[in-house]
Amino acid sequence: MHTYINKLIFGIGLVCFSFTLAVGQNTKVIEIKTKSTSLVYAVDQSSRLIFQHYGKTVDSPENFKQHKAYAKPDTDRDFSYEAYPTFGLGNINEPALAAIHSDGSLNTELAFVSAETNDTQPGITETVITLKDRVYDFTVELYTKAFWNEDVISQWTVVENNEEATVKLNNFASSFLPLKAESYYLTHFYGAWAGEMSVAEEKLENGIKVIECKKGVRTTQTENASFLLSLNHPSLENSGDCYGGALAWSGNYRLAFQVDEWRTLNVISGINPFLSAWSLKAGERLATPEMIYTFSSTGRGQVSRNLHDWGRKYAMVGGTKIHDIVLNSWEGAYFSFDENTLTGMMDDAAEMGIETFVLDDGWFGNKYPRNNDDAGLGDWQTNTKKLPRGLDYLIDYAHSKGLKFGLWIEPEMVNPESELAGNHPEWIVQSADRDKITWRNQLLLDLSNPKVQDFVYNVFDSLLTSHPGIEYVKWDANRHVEQAGSTFLPASEQTHFWISYTHGLYSVYERIREKYPDFVIQDCASGGGRLDYGALKYHNEYWTSDNTDPLSRIFIQYGTTLIYPPVGAASHVSTSPNHQTLRMTPLKFRFDVAMTGRLGMELQPKHIQGDERVFAEEAITNYKQFVRPLVTNGDLFRLKSPYDEGGWASQMYVAKDQTSAVLYAFSLEPHLRGIYPTIKLNGLDAKKKYQIVEINKNGKTRFRGDGQTFSADYLMNVGIELKIADQFDSAVFLLNVVH
Ligand code: GLA
């Protein structure tokens, strides 16, 4: 891996000016670059590492020697924005690091020691800047990985204690980013079960705005550890300076946005310090999770595309590969099934062109059968009453139909009514003699305990070893932590619980991926409750939401794909009226929406008959033949936001070589007669012509120019009017370059 090592020691390799430095000048400049961005730090005359710039590439780093950006020299002591502000150095803003040293001192003051950059693999450099306290043997290493082509950087820190005794870390952020503008607009995500990734944008005023999670496990069910920041105006699709940020961490997180007294925005991101003080013993190191950043001077559309490119390539499993079309049994059968129900579903799935059948909850537990969510969780043996011929019979049946077979598990959890809870009460997260609080009748296993890690790993490994025909796992997690406490951790380290849980989870994921590197795993936590780049690294896709209503999904998937790659967004056609919202929608609308992500179905397929069956089969064929490669590796261009006035939503995926594209348009409200949307396309090759052909027509043509050829500049600057007006009308078009 490390054959491209190209070491550059800053201070040796970089220019050193020969003239005497004036006050305010820097002695060294450290520049980290991607294709069109640069991140610049400088070392000042007091050996402090000062933040200088993150944004559009600056090609002459020597400027940063002559002029110290981000300095406030009018204060008593030169207050500059240090790269990693600690409490105790004169920093009066929110600190990135606050430590109680071994002698009880509360102050830390870091000085620059060294900087080194390695090319770790083609297209990626890793820079480590080492800082050391001026008094104590206490070191912080600031890491930055730069992904050249994707214009993404990731940052994290490693704190090392070489003092005589334990240092207590109270705050230990992954990254600090100060920004300067007239105003700042923060786009962030909020929601609830069945309504994840709703989008809010607000202007930041003086004070601190915090996006955080304090409840563990399902950390993204309400807010999400990601955001967009637009400078000087609300974010726009195709213009303006815009940053995207996401923390790769599946535990409690805290993203703090402080507009300080000088109207500088200080962004501090990392693990949530809430009840999480970490005792770092002498000689120990602690690594913080990666904070991902990207920047675009042409709006949030490019921010998303950078994150998608980076995510597909580096932050998920098989992100650039074609994903199977799935039939998941949950909404079609829930807990009520026997062999015939499932084989019947497989018959229909195979006939319709589906590629993988997934058996959801309800297949396990014998002493305490899992016939509802009251019992059986934790007892991962096939229920012999429901499935007398075992899983292998179902797996073989699936294979005989040309389908792959997938299975649901929720290995981090246990029902009190289960053999596991009786056998290992000490594995359950608990607090002394207090009553345990259940949620969906279940309790959480303590993944800070290595024995529990082994158990969870073995749930996965034993299933796959005894049933090698399983080719897909849906990994669920349906509660969070209302009451923390570990029988494994000593009393003095109970505050380690939150972080150790996540470390335990990651070590299980690591072991799984070592043995099963390409195996397909879906990331699910009651829907999108664990959607972050920390978890995604080990998964091939994510269950976006338990809400399968297509109108709700337009909003949920709009928010989700601002940050996360659409190829991973499991998006299923379910029945009408919808089980979560009771809304009635046409099958075409449901398919058209589901085809913007990883298409699947979540219903009893035998209920789709007659014309609907013909339409469904045609839509699945269209998806496979034309749409899926574009969803997988194409560039997403958002054309109309469902949040904007008008009651429309529209987007397209354009092939990287711009030879083909798919365009979607949706009518979200009833519109009066003759009120149609005009859609201006984007991302096409301006010099080329494209033929537009409507698919999934269902007997109707929604564009007067269907089948015609248009120049890209016409499509992008004049736009096309689509005849969709009724609520839940929709249209999908393929575009192909005509030579
Ligand atoms: C969670 C998941 C659903 C389904 C059920 C099964 O809610 O998000 O998709 O798997 O659990 O209990």
Side-chain angles (χ1 to χ4, degrees):
M1 286 296 267
H2 292 255
T3 48
Y4 297 85
I5 303 283
N6 164 24
K7 285 192 175 176
L8 184 64
I9 310 287
F10 287 93
I12 301 171
L14 282 185
V15 201
C16 279
F17 284 178
S18 53
F19 57 82
T20 318
L21 292 162
V23 175
Q25 291 187 335
N26 292 314
T27 62
K28 272 188 220 314
V29 174
I30 299 167
E31 192 195 20
I32 297 167
K33 283 174 95 168
T34 66
K35 192 175 58 193
S36 39
T37 70
S38 57
L39 167 68
V40 184
Y41 295 115
V43 180
D44 75 1
Q45 291 168 58
S46 331
S47 297
R48 291 184 299 167
L49 183 71
I50 311 293
F51 176 89
Q52 297 293 287
H53 171 72
Y54 175 49
K56 209 169 174 174
T57 301
V58 176
D59 276 324
S60 339
E62 63 276 10
N63 290 309
F64 293 101
K65 278 204 170 174
Q66 295 156 31
H67 172 251
K68 193 170 178 182
Y70 284 84
K72 297 286 163 207
D74 45 347
T75 53
D76 216 18
R77 173 192 159 140
D78 172 5
F79 177 91
S80 294
Y81 287 81
E82 299 215 11
Y84 195 64
T86 59
F87 178 78
L89 53 62
N91 167 50
I92 49 174
N93 287 334
E94 186 77 356
L97 183 119
I100 306 174
H101 291 280
S102 49
D103 64 357
S105 166
L106 305 180
N107 304 307
T108 306
E109 195 181 359
L110 298 173
F112 174 81
V113 177
S114 64
E116 187 180 322
T117 294
N118 292 317
D119 291 346
T120 53
Q121 62 186 83
I124 306 178
T125 59
E126 188 176 297
T127 300
V128 52
I129 305 175
T130 305
L131 308 172
K132 192 167 170 292
D133 187 81
R134 287 176 198 271
V135 177
Y136 300 102
D137 204 349
F138 177 88
T139 307
V140 177
E141 293 163 355
L142 302 185
Y143 284 83
T144 304
K145 244 190 209 177
F147 299 82
W148 179 267
N149 286 323
E150 296 75 20
D151 275 331
V152 165
I153 59 164
S154 77
Q155 297 199 295
W156 71 99
T157 59
V158 175
V159 183
E160 185 175 313
N161 172 20
N162 286 311
E163 298 179 29
E164 310 253 290
T166 300
V167 171
K168 194 166 239 183
L169 301 177
N170 269 353
N171 298 59
F172 35 97
S174 292
S175 152
F176 170 66
L177 174 67
L179 296 172
K180 283 201 291 194
E182 301 310 320
S183 55
Y184 310 97
Y185 289 82
L186 172 70
T187 299
H188 59 102
F189 306 96
Y190 69 96
W193 173 76
E196 300 88 339
M197 294 301 275
S198 305
V199 181
E201 183 165 35
E202 63 192 82
K203 186 174 178 198
L204 294 170
E205 298 294 354
N206 286 45
I208 302 187
K209 164 87 189 174
V210 171
I211 309 293
E212 67 172 353
C213 173
K214 288 181 180 145
K215 61 187 187 185
V217 185
R218 284 189 307 194
T219 57
T220 64
Q221 193 175 60
T222 45
E223 298 180 1
N224 191 279
S226 62
F227 59 87
L228 303 176
L229 266 173
S230 174
L231 304 188
N232 300 323
H233 51 72
S235 62
L236 298 166
E237 269 314 305
N238 301 310
S239 62
D241 284 354
C242 188
Y243 295 83
L247 185 73
W249 181 242
S250 311
N252 288 343
Y253 57 83
R254 183 171 190 266
L255 311 173
F257 304 85
Q258 179 177 24
V259 179
D260 68 20
E261 61 193 88
W262 298 295
R263 303 249 348 131
T264 301
L265 171 62
N266 302 253
V267 185
I268 295 198
S269 338
I271 290 175
N272 198 329
F274 170 72
L275 286 177
S276 292
W278 190 267
S279 301
L280 195 65
K281 297 201 187 89
E284 281 185 351
R285 288 158 69 85
L286 178 72
T288 62
E290 279 180 85
M291 179 66 198
I292 320 301
Y293 274 115
T294 187
F295 168 80
S296 160
S297 57
T298 55
R300 67 183 174 201
Q302 193 56 45
V303 163
S304 300
R305 288 186 289 279
N306 291 349
L307 289 173
H308 297 169
D309 283 343
W310 174 82
R312 282 189 291 237
K313 195 160 175 199
Y314 299 110
M316 58 191 286
V317 180
T320 56
K321 289 193 186 148
I322 292 293
H323 286 43
D324 275 4
I325 302 173
V326 167
L327 172 67
N328 186 54
S329 70
W330 182 240
E331 287 193 27
Y334 292 108
F335 292 104
S336 317
F337 55 80
D338 57 16
E339 280 176 352
N340 285 338
T341 326
L342 303 178
T343 53
M345 286 174 110
M346 290 188 221
D347 291 341
D348 285 299
E351 253 181 58
M352 292 170 85
I354 282 167
E355 296 155 317
T356 294
F357 173 77
V358 180
L359 172 55
D360 208 286
D361 200 351
W363 60 268
F364 50 89
N366 284 304
K367 186 167 175 198
Y368 301 101
R370 178 79 170 169
N371 292 329
N372 50 46
D373 60 23
D374 286 353
L377 200 55
D379 301 346
W380 301 102
Q381 313 90 28
T382 314
N383 180 305
T384 48
K385 208 163 166 202
K386 275 182 182 168
L387 306 173
R389 283 176 282 188
L391 283 179
D392 285 332
Y393 168 73
L394 294 173
I395 295 168
D396 291 346
Y397 193 88
H399 290 169
S400 75
K401 293 276 156 186
L403 295 166
K404 291 183 195 147
F405 185 86
L407 199 64
W408 179 96
I409 54 172
E410 194 184 359
E412 297 158 73
M413 309 281 170
V414 61
N415 280 132
E417 226 178 286
S418 67
E419 293 183 68
L420 178 66
N423 293 339
H424 287 291
E426 78 285 6
W427 285 0
I428 295 170
V429 172
Q430 55 197 280
S431 168
D433 294 331
R434 289 178 214 285
D435 287 345
K436 296 187 187 69
I437 302 168
T438 53
W439 184 281
R440 206 195 186 205
N441 309 309
Q442 64 196 57
L443 297 164
L444 178 65
L445 296 177
D446 175 12
L447 265 177
S448 72
N449 183 340
K451 291 206 172 111
V452 176
Q453 294 165 22
D454 287 346
F455 170 80
V456 173
Y457 171 76
N458 282 326
V459 170
F460 190 96
D461 186 45
S462 312
L463 269 170
L464 264 63
T465 313
S466 36
H467 308 287
I470 297 174
E471 288 175 85
Y472 174 114
V473 159
K474 173 176 177 177
W475 181 305
D476 208 344
N478 283 309
R479 68 162 293 161
H480 35 256
V481 187
E482 281 87 4
Q483 189 185 47
S486 163
T487 61
F488 170 76
L489 294 170
S492 59
E493 289 181 8
Q494 288 292 307
T495 56
H496 288 203
F497 168 75
W498 304 95
I499 296 174
S500 295
Y501 184 96
T502 310
H503 284 163
L505 177 69
Y506 287 171
S507 94
V508 172
Y509 285 163
E510 285 286 340
R511 282 165 76 185
I512 288 174
R513 281 310 180 188
E514 212 167 285
K515 185 160 174 194
Y516 307 98
D518 302 317
F519 187 90
V520 180
I521 310 179
Q522 185 186 78
D523 169 6
C524 173
S526 316
R530 191 182 262 162
L531 179 53
D532 64 78
Y533 276 120
L536 206 52
K537 187 172 156 200
Y538 303 97
H539 294 84
N540 308 61
E541 59 175 40
Y542 48 89
W543 183 224
T544 324
S545 177
D546 271 356
N547 187 342
T548 53
D549 175 312
L551 180 60
S552 308
R553 276 298 187 110
I554 285 177
F555 286 88
I556 293 169
Q557 290 172 199
Y558 175 88
T560 303
T561 56
L562 276 165
I563 304 290
Y564 301 100
V567 61
S571 181
H572 293 182
V573 173
S574 61
T575 199
S576 175
N578 181 270
H579 290 183
Q580 289 76 35
T581 63
L582 306 180
R583 194 170 7 237
M584 311 261 294
T585 51
L587 188 68
K588 172 175 162 56
F589 186 67
R590 280 177 272 150
F591 259 101
D592 288 354
V593 172
M595 282 168 63
T596 63
R598 196 281 279 136
L599 175 66
M601 298 187 89
E602 183 94 17
L603 43 64
Q604 172 49 273
K606 76 165 179 244
H607 293 158
I608 303 191
Q609 291 300 344
D611 289 350
E612 285 205 328
R613 182 74 167 228
V614 174
F615 172 77
E617 287 175 18
E618 186 192 312
I620 288 171
T621 306
N622 285 334
Y623 183 76
K624 279 186 193 164
Q625 278 191 335
F626 311 114
V627 178
R628 179 159 61 176
L630 294 163
V631 172
T632 307
N633 284 310
D635 282 332
L636 170 66
F637 288 86
R638 290 178 290 264
L639 308 175
K640 284 193 184 288
S641 163
Y643 286 92
D644 286 350
E645 280 176 32
W648 315 105
S650 179
Q651 67 183 63
M652 58 195 291
Y653 294 106
V654 181
K656 288 277 177 199
D657 64 5
Q658 295 172 301
T659 56
S660 59
V662 56
L663 164 70
Y664 309 81
F666 304 101
S667 170
L668 314 183
E669 301 167 359
H671 294 91
L672 293 180
R673 193 173 53 178
I675 305 283
Y676 299 126
T678 295
I679 312 277
K680 290 184 182 176
L681 279 56
N682 201 348
L684 302 174
D685 181 338
K687 293 183 214 75
K688 299 263 163 73
K689 289 188 170 144
Y690 292 83
Q691 186 193 26
I692 304 194
V693 176
E694 185 171 1
I695 57 166
N696 290 3
K697 285 170 80 160
N698 210 15
K700 221 169 114 182
T701 299
R702 295 164 188 83
F703 174 44
R704 285 181 213 94
D706 186 22
Q708 306 294 311
T709 297
F710 296 86
S711 65
D713 61 351
Y714 179 88
L715 294 171
M716 297 198 288
N717 299 321
V718 179
I720 55 174
E721 190 182 74
L722 302 181
K723 280 181 88 179
I724 56 170
D726 291 345
Q727 191 175 28
F728 310 136
D729 265 355
S730 56
V732 183
F733 299 91
L734 295 176
L735 285 89
N736 278 296
V737 157
V738 175
H739 295 285

